[in-house]
Amino acid sequence: MKFSVTIVFDNNCVIPEVKPEWGFACVIKTGNEMILFDTGNDGRILLDNLAKLHLDPYDLSKVVISHMHWDHVGGLPDLLQACPQSPVYLPASALEDDIRIIRRMCRAVIPVREAVEIAPDLYSTGELPGYAWEQSLIYKGNGELSIITGCAHPGIVNIVRRAQDMFPGLPVSLLLGGFHLHHTAPADIVTVYRELQAAGVKTIAPAHCTGEGAIEKCRDIFGDGFLTAGVGFNFMLT
Ligand SMILES: [Zn+2]
Ligand SMILES: [Zn+2]
């Protein structure tokens, strides 16, 4: 297995054993590393879901936070009690006070401003501007990209374009995460999905703040390329 991503916190579930709650978090495995991307809004639920999915937080090598909204960073204090060895990659625009508080709870805080390799073949887009400044993750393998977003406040199309600026010419084998389309007009949602298709997105798993209507529209437009996201979702590249 070269790469896998498992959703561990989301407002929907795809298996019965886990609990849904507003927010987002997923576990990424690449090389010998296991990385948590975001923490949801509640550390107890996060830790329970990890246990139900047989993922031990003590095995986490790194924690990456997409942006500083509570539904992505709220589980961090409880989580870090279970993995105090993990450095935490925060968007560089995080408030000084937040950085100071988190630094006391973990081995190190690493602010991310520019694109950077975080683990073997796993990259941060760097902070992109938006309603909240945000970083997304890109896995590059098998000549394709897998892109994982938190809320996509900088715009989901902008995030995919950034990834393809970093790695020109590569199609997107997976686009997963919150797309933040829950307040977007239906006609504009269709435009977004058409732009993603034109950019080479083959498989898509909208989660979290994409919005139920926009998720249904995604299923219509992508057909077999649509995957149902939620806690327990797993995608793997071998
Ligand atoms: Zn969110
Ligand atoms: Zn957000």
Side-chain angles (χ1 to χ4, degrees):
M1 194 257 318
K2 282 186 181 163
F3 164 80
S4 79
V5 52
T6 305
I7 297 179
V8 297
F9 204 108
D10 187 56
N11 18 302
N12 291 303
C13 299
V14 296
I15 57 171
E17 300 88 342
V18 290
K19 193 170 175 196
E21 175 60 50
W22 182 256
F24 186 72
C26 62
V27 166
I28 295 160
K29 292 183 182 174
T30 174
N32 293 323
E33 295 210 38
M34 181 165 117
I35 292 139
L36 184 71
F37 180 58
D38 286 346
T39 67
N41 73 8
D42 183 310
R44 290 287 112 204
I45 294 173
L46 174 68
L47 292 170
D48 282 352
N49 284 349
L50 286 169
K52 294 270 168 45
L53 294 162
H54 309 291
L55 295 163
D56 185 344
Y58 194 74
D59 294 337
L60 289 169
S61 55
K62 286 157 189 157
V63 178
V64 181
I65 300 295
S66 64
H67 65 303
M68 299 302 288
H69 285 167
W70 186 247
D71 51 341
H72 297 257
V73 79
L76 196 53
D78 285 337
L79 173 86
L80 288 175
Q81 289 192 9
C83 64
Q85 80 285 355
S86 295
V88 179
Y89 290 69
L90 291 180
S93 61
L95 297 175
E96 271 303 317
D97 281 354
D98 288 340
I99 292 176
R100 202 173 317 119
I101 291 165
I102 294 168
R103 191 168 274 143
R104 279 194 226 116
M105 298 189 289
C106 67
R107 187 163 71 76
V109 166
I110 301 168
V112 176
R113 193 176 306 278
E114 304 296 334
V116 62
E117 187 171 18
I118 285 183
D121 300 316
L122 186 75
Y123 300 82
S124 166
T125 56
E127 272 192 317
L128 297 183
Y131 161 69
W133 287 53
E134 182 172 339
Q135 60 178 331
S136 305
L137 293 182
I138 307 163
Y139 173 79
K140 181 171 78 75
N142 296 357
E144 298 179 320
L145 305 177
S146 296
I147 303 172
I148 303 166
T149 64
C151 272
H153 292 297
I156 189 66
V157 175
N158 291 337
I159 290 168
V160 169
R161 287 196 181 127
R162 168 62 159 250
Q164 293 183 320
D165 283 347
M166 289 168 62
F167 303 107
L170 297 187
V172 179
S173 57
L174 175 71
L175 179 61
L176 161 74
F179 299 170
H180 210 73
L181 298 172
H182 56 315
H183 296 313
T184 306
D188 295 334
I189 289 172
V190 172
T191 304
V192 166
Y193 289 141
R194 294 286 179 225
E195 287 178 333
L196 294 176
Q197 283 182 317
V201 175
K202 294 192 289 190
T203 307
I204 190 161
H208 179 42
C209 58
T210 305
E212 295 304 323
I215 288 174
E216 281 315 305
K217 188 57 75 185
C218 187
R219 188 195 302 270
D220 293 345
I221 290 176
F222 280 82
D224 289 345
F226 173 90
L227 300 177
T228 301
V231 182
F233 168 97
N234 180 261
F235 177 91
M236 199 179 284
L237 289 177
T238 52

